[in-house]
Amino acid sequence: MKTERNNGRVKGFEEMESTGVSAELYAEVLQYYARQMQALDAGKVEEYADTFTDDAVFGHTPGREPARTRAGILSDLYEVRERLAADAQQRRHLFTMVDVEQPADGRLRSTCYALVLTTRPGDGPEMVRSCVVRDVLVREDGRLRNQERLVDHDGF
């Protein structure tokens, strides 16, 4: 691997090309995702749905039209919770390789990988999904919210 140098010294991380957002904003996005996914995994679907704007679009299932509006997203979440209720399991959504950019319109665009793990009583964790998540994040009343989330499932 070639080492980059600047005026005879090795470039530090702060000098290397970045994702286009400050370290502080990047950390805020990671914290946002941590809280969002922990709410989902804890079954707090109302809290999870509240992380989306009123006019949000959420495409999460291959072959199905995206949910539109926060109310529509919440309806989908109730449906999924009901479908999974008969199967005792704990799901964990892990976001990795998060890349955040801020184009001129001021919104944030994030692309990351998502792994979904399921653990059933007496069993170890099983990876049930591998996806690419593409988000558009906006700030409302000082907090981040998803205006759009499109999830592409690997293998579909």
Side-chain angles (χ1 to χ4, degrees), residues 40 45-46 48-49 52 58 60 72-82:
L40 181 62
V45 294
E46 295 85 0
Y48 177 80
F52 290 82
F58 182 19
H60 57 88
I73 291 166
L74 189 56
S75 177
D76 273 12
L77 292 168
Y78 286 143
E79 182 182 315
V80 170
R81 184 168 68 181
E82 185 176 316

mmCIF file of all heavy atoms in Angstrom, residues 40 45-46 48-49 52 58 60 72-82:
data_model
loop_
_atom_site.group_PDB
_atom_site.id
_atom_site.type_symbol
_atom_site.label_atom_id
_atom_site.label_comp_id
_atom_site.label_asym_id
_atom_site.label_seq_id
_atom_site.Cartn_x
_atom_site.Cartn_y
_atom_site.Cartn_z
ATOM 1 N N LEU A 40 -36.213 -0.310 17.276
ATOM 2 C CA LEU A 40 -36.830 -1.342 16.446
ATOM 3 C C LEU A 40 -36.644 -2.727 17.058
ATOM 4 O O LEU A 40 -37.603 -3.496 17.188
ATOM 5 C CB LEU A 40 -36.234 -1.304 15.032
ATOM 6 C CG LEU A 40 -36.791 -2.319 14.034
ATOM 7 C CD1 LEU A 40 -38.278 -2.113 13.795
ATOM 8 C CD2 LEU A 40 -36.020 -2.246 12.725
ATOM 9 N N VAL A 45 -42.144 0.080 18.218
ATOM 10 C CA VAL A 45 -42.396 0.461 16.831
ATOM 11 C C VAL A 45 -42.869 1.910 16.698
ATOM 12 O O VAL A 45 -42.567 2.563 15.698
ATOM 13 C CB VAL A 45 -43.360 -0.519 16.125
ATOM 14 C CG1 VAL A 45 -42.722 -1.888 15.978
ATOM 15 C CG2 VAL A 45 -44.691 -0.610 16.836
ATOM 16 N N GLU A 46 -43.589 2.422 17.691
ATOM 17 C CA GLU A 46 -44.016 3.822 17.631
ATOM 18 C C GLU A 46 -42.796 4.742 17.708
ATOM 19 O O GLU A 46 -42.704 5.736 16.982
ATOM 20 C CB GLU A 46 -44.998 4.145 18.757
ATOM 21 C CG GLU A 46 -46.320 3.405 18.671
ATOM 22 C CD GLU A 46 -46.297 2.010 19.307
ATOM 23 O OE1 GLU A 46 -45.235 1.589 19.832
ATOM 24 O OE2 GLU A 46 -47.336 1.335 19.250
ATOM 25 N N TYR A 48 -39.729 3.946 16.862
ATOM 26 C CA TYR A 48 -39.010 3.772 15.600
ATOM 27 C C TYR A 48 -39.674 4.596 14.492
ATOM 28 O O TYR A 48 -39.010 5.325 13.757
ATOM 29 C CB TYR A 48 -38.944 2.296 15.226
ATOM 30 C CG TYR A 48 -38.291 2.031 13.898
ATOM 31 C CD1 TYR A 48 -36.909 2.029 13.768
ATOM 32 C CD2 TYR A 48 -39.054 1.784 12.760
ATOM 33 C CE1 TYR A 48 -36.299 1.782 12.546
ATOM 34 C CE2 TYR A 48 -38.448 1.539 11.533
ATOM 35 C CZ TYR A 48 -37.080 1.537 11.433
ATOM 36 O OH TYR A 48 -36.479 1.303 10.215
ATOM 37 N N ALA A 49 -40.993 4.491 14.372
ATOM 38 C CA ALA A 49 -41.713 5.218 13.324
ATOM 39 C C ALA A 49 -41.537 6.722 13.488
ATOM 40 O O ALA A 49 -41.502 7.463 12.497
ATOM 41 C CB ALA A 49 -43.194 4.856 13.334
ATOM 42 N N PHE A 52 -39.000 8.890 11.460
ATOM 43 C CA PHE A 52 -39.283 9.217 10.062
ATOM 44 C C PHE A 52 -40.113 10.501 10.001
ATOM 45 O O PHE A 52 -40.896 10.789 10.903
ATOM 46 C CB PHE A 52 -40.048 8.077 9.381
ATOM 47 C CG PHE A 52 -39.222 6.846 9.151
ATOM 48 C CD1 PHE A 52 -39.033 5.920 10.168
ATOM 49 C CD2 PHE A 52 -38.620 6.615 7.925
ATOM 50 C CE1 PHE A 52 -38.250 4.787 9.965
ATOM 51 C CE2 PHE A 52 -37.847 5.479 7.709
ATOM 52 C CZ PHE A 52 -37.662 4.569 8.741
ATOM 53 N N PHE A 58 -40.494 4.582 2.851
ATOM 54 C CA PHE A 58 -39.692 3.499 3.418
ATOM 55 C C PHE A 58 -39.923 2.236 2.595
ATOM 56 O O PHE A 58 -40.939 1.576 2.714
ATOM 57 C CB PHE A 58 -40.079 3.274 4.877
ATOM 58 C CG PHE A 58 -39.298 2.220 5.609
ATOM 59 C CD1 PHE A 58 -38.068 1.761 5.179
ATOM 60 C CD2 PHE A 58 -39.801 1.686 6.782
ATOM 61 C CE1 PHE A 58 -37.353 0.798 5.877
ATOM 62 C CE2 PHE A 58 -39.106 0.721 7.498
ATOM 63 C CZ PHE A 58 -37.877 0.284 7.038
ATOM 64 N N HIS A 60 -38.792 -1.379 2.145
ATOM 65 C CA HIS A 60 -38.063 -2.346 2.968
ATOM 66 C C HIS A 60 -38.226 -3.804 2.567
ATOM 67 O O HIS A 60 -37.473 -4.649 3.033
ATOM 68 C CB HIS A 60 -38.456 -2.187 4.451
ATOM 69 C CG HIS A 60 -39.928 -2.327 4.705
ATOM 70 N ND1 HIS A 60 -40.522 -3.527 4.940
ATOM 71 C CD2 HIS A 60 -40.906 -1.392 4.744
ATOM 72 C CE1 HIS A 60 -41.818 -3.353 5.132
ATOM 73 N NE2 HIS A 60 -42.081 -2.060 5.010
ATOM 74 N N GLY A 72 -48.241 5.282 7.505
ATOM 75 C CA GLY A 72 -48.114 4.078 6.674
ATOM 76 C C GLY A 72 -46.972 3.195 7.128
ATOM 77 O O GLY A 72 -47.081 1.964 7.104
ATOM 78 N N ILE A 73 -45.868 3.812 7.545
ATOM 79 C CA ILE A 73 -44.720 3.055 8.065
ATOM 80 C C ILE A 73 -45.133 2.340 9.343
ATOM 81 O O ILE A 73 -44.847 1.151 9.521
ATOM 82 C CB ILE A 73 -43.518 3.991 8.292
ATOM 83 C CG1 ILE A 73 -42.986 4.480 6.944
ATOM 84 C CG2 ILE A 73 -42.426 3.302 9.111
ATOM 85 C CD1 ILE A 73 -42.024 5.647 7.038
ATOM 86 N N LEU A 74 -45.837 3.032 10.222
ATOM 87 C CA LEU A 74 -46.281 2.420 11.473
ATOM 88 C C LEU A 74 -47.226 1.249 11.201
ATOM 89 O O LEU A 74 -47.128 0.200 11.838
ATOM 90 C CB LEU A 74 -46.949 3.467 12.361
ATOM 91 C CG LEU A 74 -47.282 3.032 13.781
ATOM 92 C CD1 LEU A 74 -46.052 2.519 14.513
ATOM 93 C CD2 LEU A 74 -47.912 4.199 14.541
ATOM 94 N N SER A 75 -48.103 1.389 10.223
ATOM 95 C CA SER A 75 -48.999 0.296 9.843
ATOM 96 C C SER A 75 -48.205 -0.933 9.397
ATOM 97 O O SER A 75 -48.505 -2.066 9.798
ATOM 98 C CB SER A 75 -49.939 0.766 8.732
ATOM 99 O OG SER A 75 -50.765 -0.282 8.297
ATOM 100 N N ASP A 76 -47.174 -0.715 8.570
ATOM 101 C CA ASP A 76 -46.306 -1.825 8.140
ATOM 102 C C ASP A 76 -45.603 -2.469 9.330
ATOM 103 O O ASP A 76 -45.475 -3.695 9.403
ATOM 104 C CB ASP A 76 -45.248 -1.337 7.151
ATOM 105 C CG ASP A 76 -45.718 -1.343 5.709
ATOM 106 O OD1 ASP A 76 -46.938 -1.513 5.470
ATOM 107 O OD2 ASP A 76 -44.869 -1.180 4.819
ATOM 108 N N LEU A 77 -45.137 -1.651 10.266
ATOM 109 C CA LEU A 77 -44.438 -2.175 11.442
ATOM 110 C C LEU A 77 -45.362 -3.044 12.294
ATOM 111 O O LEU A 77 -44.958 -4.108 12.788
ATOM 112 C CB LEU A 77 -43.861 -1.033 12.275
ATOM 113 C CG LEU A 77 -42.729 -0.249 11.634
ATOM 114 C CD1 LEU A 77 -42.451 1.027 12.422
ATOM 115 C CD2 LEU A 77 -41.475 -1.095 11.516
ATOM 116 N N TYR A 78 -46.616 -2.597 12.472
ATOM 117 C CA TYR A 78 -47.583 -3.412 13.223
ATOM 118 C C TYR A 78 -47.817 -4.744 12.519
ATOM 119 O O TYR A 78 -47.912 -5.795 13.160
ATOM 120 C CB TYR A 78 -48.908 -2.672 13.374
ATOM 121 C CG TYR A 78 -48.897 -1.545 14.378
ATOM 122 C CD1 TYR A 78 -49.614 -0.384 14.115
ATOM 123 C CD2 TYR A 78 -48.199 -1.619 15.580
ATOM 124 C CE1 TYR A 78 -49.633 0.670 15.025
ATOM 125 C CE2 TYR A 78 -48.206 -0.577 16.489
ATOM 126 C CZ TYR A 78 -48.931 0.562 16.212
ATOM 127 O OH TYR A 78 -48.952 1.599 17.105
ATOM 128 N N GLU A 79 -47.912 -4.711 11.188
ATOM 129 C CA GLU A 79 -48.125 -5.930 10.405
ATOM 130 C C GLU A 79 -46.959 -6.904 10.570
ATOM 131 O O GLU A 79 -47.159 -8.102 10.779
ATOM 132 C CB GLU A 79 -48.321 -5.563 8.937
ATOM 133 C CG GLU A 79 -48.607 -6.746 8.036
ATOM 134 C CD GLU A 79 -48.733 -6.316 6.577
ATOM 135 O OE1 GLU A 79 -49.411 -5.310 6.305
ATOM 136 O OE2 GLU A 79 -48.132 -7.002 5.720
ATOM 137 N N VAL A 80 -45.732 -6.398 10.482
ATOM 138 C CA VAL A 80 -44.551 -7.252 10.638
ATOM 139 C C VAL A 80 -44.495 -7.812 12.059
ATOM 140 O O VAL A 80 -44.232 -9.004 12.263
ATOM 141 C CB VAL A 80 -43.254 -6.482 10.303
ATOM 142 C CG1 VAL A 80 -42.023 -7.280 10.704
ATOM 143 C CG2 VAL A 80 -43.216 -6.148 8.815
ATOM 144 N N ARG A 81 -44.773 -6.979 13.052
ATOM 145 C CA ARG A 81 -44.754 -7.448 14.446
ATOM 146 C C ARG A 81 -45.767 -8.562 14.660
ATOM 147 O O ARG A 81 -45.477 -9.568 15.304
ATOM 148 C CB ARG A 81 -45.016 -6.279 15.398
ATOM 149 C CG ARG A 81 -44.904 -6.686 16.856
ATOM 150 C CD ARG A 81 -44.867 -5.514 17.781
ATOM 151 N NE ARG A 81 -46.135 -4.792 17.813
ATOM 152 C CZ ARG A 81 -46.347 -3.711 18.548
ATOM 153 N NH1 ARG A 81 -45.370 -3.208 19.285
ATOM 154 N NH2 ARG A 81 -47.516 -3.110 18.530
ATOM 155 N N GLU A 82 -46.947 -8.404 14.091
ATOM 156 C CA GLU A 82 -47.986 -9.433 14.216
ATOM 157 C C GLU A 82 -47.557 -10.734 13.528
ATOM 158 O O GLU A 82 -47.742 -11.824 14.063
ATOM 159 C CB GLU A 82 -49.296 -8.920 13.619
ATOM 160 C CG GLU A 82 -50.458 -9.877 13.809
ATOM 161 C CD GLU A 82 -51.754 -9.286 13.284
ATOM 162 O OE1 GLU A 82 -52.022 -8.102 13.549
ATOM 163 O OE2 GLU A 82 -52.487 -10.035 12.605
#
